[in-house]
């Protein structure tokens, strides 16, 4: 999964998965020729269209629109309002991988502020839940990317299951 902040990203399919899917489809087609059963052919077609268990996840933050978009395997799955850095602070631009996750975290810099469902991506910068939901949709943070706690929980679970395939 990858996270992107104000940059475009093009998803490139993994060659190893494409090869595996092609090999599976070829084997199933050979089996269909032997069995000539309509049911077997239907099952083969469904298996060839099935997605791999691992998902490519792209988290894009548009700071000017104060929106976070989650794309899974090339399809937009979620769009949520966020709060990024307010005047005098900065949310970093760039492409990152999640470094570590914390279900329950408290800021060590800002008076122990709660940071539920934290996804750290650049040192102390994280995407995390915020209980100041009235500020979502406009800059309000010290640099982190704040989400509604329910949305942060959804994103946290998705990233946790696909950490190596996530880009921010």
């Amino acid at each position: 999964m990858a996270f992107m902040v104000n940059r475009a990203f093009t998803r490139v399919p993994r060659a190893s998965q494409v090869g595996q899917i092609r090999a599976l489809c070829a084997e199933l087609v050979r089996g269909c020729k032997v069995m000539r059963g309509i049911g077997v052919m239907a099952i083969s077609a469904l298996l060839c269209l099935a997605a791999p268990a691992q998902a490519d996840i792209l988290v894009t933050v548009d700071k000017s629109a104060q929106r976070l978009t989650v794309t899974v395997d090339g399809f937009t799955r979620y769009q949520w309002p966020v709060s990024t850095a307010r005047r005098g602070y900065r949310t970093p631009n760039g492409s990152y991988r999640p470094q570590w996750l914390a279900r329950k975290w408290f800021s060590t810099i800002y008076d122990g502020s709660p940071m539920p469902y934290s996804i750290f991506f650049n040192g102390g910068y994280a995407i995390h839940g915020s209980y100041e939901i009235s500020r979502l949709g406009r800059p309000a943070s010290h640099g982190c990317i704040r989400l509604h706690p329910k949305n942060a929980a959804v994103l946290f679970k998705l990233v946790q299951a696909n950490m190596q395939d996530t880009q921010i």
Side-chain angles (χ1 to χ4, degrees):
M1 184 183 283
F3 295 96
M4 289 291 286
V5 181
N6 283 353
R7 289 205 183 158
F9 176 80
T10 303
R11 182 177 171 270
V12 179
R14 288 185 226 127
S16 63
Q17 289 179 335
V18 171
Q20 291 171 353
I21 291 171
R22 284 184 182 157
L24 176 62
C25 288
E27 186 65 30
L28 291 170
V29 168
R30 281 193 292 277
C32 287
K33 287 179 182 176
V34 172
M35 299 177 87
R36 297 185 195 268
I38 294 173
V40 174
M41 290 177 71
I43 291 171
S44 298
L46 288 174
L47 286 174
C48 288
L49 295 174
Q54 290 294 315
D56 283 333
I57 299 168
L58 175 64
V59 178
T60 306
V61 178
D62 183 337
K63 294 191 295 185
S64 61
Q66 295 292 293
R67 304 256 333 144
L68 181 143
T69 303
V70 180
T71 305
V72 179
D73 288 332
F75 296 96
T76 300
R77 184 170 298 173
Y78 304 106
Q79 287 189 326
W80 297 311
V82 296
S83 289
T84 59
R86 66 181 184 236
R87 188 178 305 259
Y89 296 92
R90 70 177 201 83
T91 298
N93 290 329
S95 179
Y96 304 94
R97 296 263 180 213
Q99 295 173 334
W100 60 284
L101 308 175
R103 159 64 188 84
K104 189 175 183 181
W105 189 257
F106 296 90
S107 174
T108 57
I109 302 171
Y110 299 106
D111 301 319
S113 296
M115 298 169 58
Y117 303 104
S118 291
I119 303 166
F120 288 88
F121 63 90
N122 182 16
Y125 292 99
I127 298 172
H128 63 80
S130 173
Y131 298 112
E132 294 186 38
I133 57 175
S134 65
R135 294 184 177 200
L136 295 176
R138 62 181 192 263
S141 79
H142 289 102
C144 286
I145 300 163
R146 298 178 181 175
L147 281 169
H148 190 287
K150 289 181 182 178
N151 298 337
V154 170
L155 182 60
F156 184 89
K157 185 176 179 180
L158 189 61
V159 171
Q160 188 175 42
N162 300 282
M163 186 101 159
Q164 297 302 316
D165 298 313
T166 299
Q167 184 176 346
I168 301 173

